[in-house]
Amino acid sequence: GAGVSQSPSNKVTEKGKDVELRCDPISGHTALYWYRQSLGQGLEFLIYFQGNSAPDKSGLPSDRFSAERTGGSVSTLTIQRTQQEDSAVYLCASSPGTGLTNYGYTFGSGTRLTVV
Amino acid sequence: AQSVAQPEDQVNVAEGNPLTVKCTYSVSGNPYLFWYVQYPNRGLQFLLKYITGDNLVKGSYGFEAEFNKSQTSFHLKKPSALVSDSALYFCAGKAQTDKLIFGTGTRLQVFP
């Protein structure tokens, strides 16, 4: 596609439920990032996929968070047993890999997660 | 560990005046540095990047940034601010083969 697509755009879930957030990167982009932005806060790095290398999971805040990337394309971020502090906008970004586009990294519009 | 710092939570400037949004970095090797802007209820938009070459980088909407290796800084500047520039600005950096790390963001408020 022309850009990075994230779904759903909004998700309201009950505390304790599991959620899955999806990211479709730009076709051919080998690098994919997940970030979290809490209300009025900066971007917190979560996880980074680069080609076939093992992902950098150093930013995942707890073992309730996991992510996978199937076929080197679509990525799913899963949050198990959601807590209210998980409420945030989850952003996905992609790039061609070790090279960069003229526009750096391309971000999706994000998924706004609200845990009630 | 690499890091990016934006020391100011908010910057206020009058329309027509020059603006500066500060950023310092700690990145091993030759850094890749970026500025992004986030307007209310909008996604992150790329403004400019420094990879190599000229220390003064020009980007979108009349913004520019100066890479200063000795001061490990990459401040964002614009000669004449517009009210429409009011937004949240993020500095980001990475080593060539490492992940992209963002600063905490600076809210720019331009007053008419």
Side-chain angles (χ1 to χ4, degrees), chain A:
Chain A
V4 177
S5 178
Q6 291 188 245
S7 61
S9 56
N10 280 285
K11 176 71 176 179
V12 180
T13 189
E14 291 180 352
K15 178 181 173 181
K17 300 283 190 182
D18 297 352
V19 294
E20 287 188 349
L21 312 179
R22 177 186 170 103
C23 174
D24 278 281
I26 292 174
S27 178
H29 280 195
T30 59
L32 187 148
Y33 290 83
W34 283 98
Y35 293 90
R36 178 169 70 174
Q37 185 177 24
S38 301
L39 185 62
Q41 301 298 310
L43 273 76
E44 177 188 5
F45 166 78
L46 296 178
I47 188 168
Y48 165 44
F49 296 89
Q50 174 56 62
N52 295 321
S53 302
D56 180 342
K57 303 179 181 180
S58 60
L60 294 178
S62 77
D63 59 7
R64 296 185 296 105
F65 287 73
S66 63
E68 62 178 20
R69 190 177 185 192
T70 54
S73 180
V74 172
S75 178
T76 302
L77 177 69
T78 301
I79 308 173
Q80 296 178 310
R81 305 181 302 281
T82 52
Q83 303 295 313
Q84 288 184 329
E85 61 262 29
D86 299 334
S87 297
V89 176
Y90 289 81
L91 293 167
C92 177
S94 73
S95 83
T98 53
L100 293 170
T101 69
N102 289 332
Y103 304 101
Y105 294 80
T106 303
F107 281 80
S109 297
T111 294
R112 183 176 298 277
L113 176 66
T114 303
V115 182
V116 297

Side-chain angles (χ1 to χ4, degrees), chain A residues 33 35 37 45 56 105, chain B residues 36 38 44 46 94 99-100:
Chain A
Y33 290 83
Y35 293 90
Q37 185 177 24
F45 166 78
D56 180 342
Y105 294 80
Chain B
Y36 285 83
Q38 188 176 42
L44 278 167
F46 171 83
K94 69 186 293 292
K99 57 185 175 285
L100 184 67

Side-chain angles (χ1 to χ4, degrees), chain B residues 15-28:
Chain B
E15 187 173 35
N17 283 0
L19 69 87
T20 299
V21 183
K22 296 180 180 177
C23 173
T24 59
Y25 65 89
S26 175
V27 174
S28 58

Side-chain angles (χ1 to χ4, degrees), chain B:
Chain B
Q2 60 182 13
S3 64
V4 174
Q6 294 180 245
E8 304 155 315
D9 289 337
Q10 179 151 335
V11 170
N12 299 317
V13 64
E15 187 173 35
N17 283 0
L19 69 87
T20 299
V21 183
K22 296 180 180 177
C23 173
T24 59
Y25 65 89
S26 175
V27 174
S28 58
N30 295 319
Y32 292 0
L33 299 166
F34 304 80
W35 276 100
Y36 285 83
V37 60
Q38 188 176 42
Y39 297 100
N41 299 316
R42 302 274 296 275
L44 278 167
Q45 297 180 33
F46 171 83
L47 277 180
L48 50 81
K49 70 180 189 289
Y50 171 82
I51 304 300
T52 186
D54 290 340
N55 289 343
L56 184 64
V57 178
K58 293 187 182 296
S60 307
Y61 312 122
F63 283 93
E64 59 188 28
E66 185 169 11
F67 172 64
N68 188 316
K69 188 172 184 177
S70 63
Q71 297 185 5
T72 61
S73 68
F74 190 58
H75 301 331
L76 181 70
K77 300 182 178 183
K78 187 173 182 179
S80 179
L82 299 173
V83 172
S84 58
D85 292 330
S86 298
L88 188 57
Y89 290 80
F90 288 98
C91 182
K94 69 186 293 292
Q96 184 177 9
T97 57
D98 208 336
K99 57 185 175 285
L100 184 67
I101 297 297
F102 282 80
T104 51
T106 298
R107 188 166 299 281
L108 173 67
Q109 188 69 50
V110 182
F111 294 95

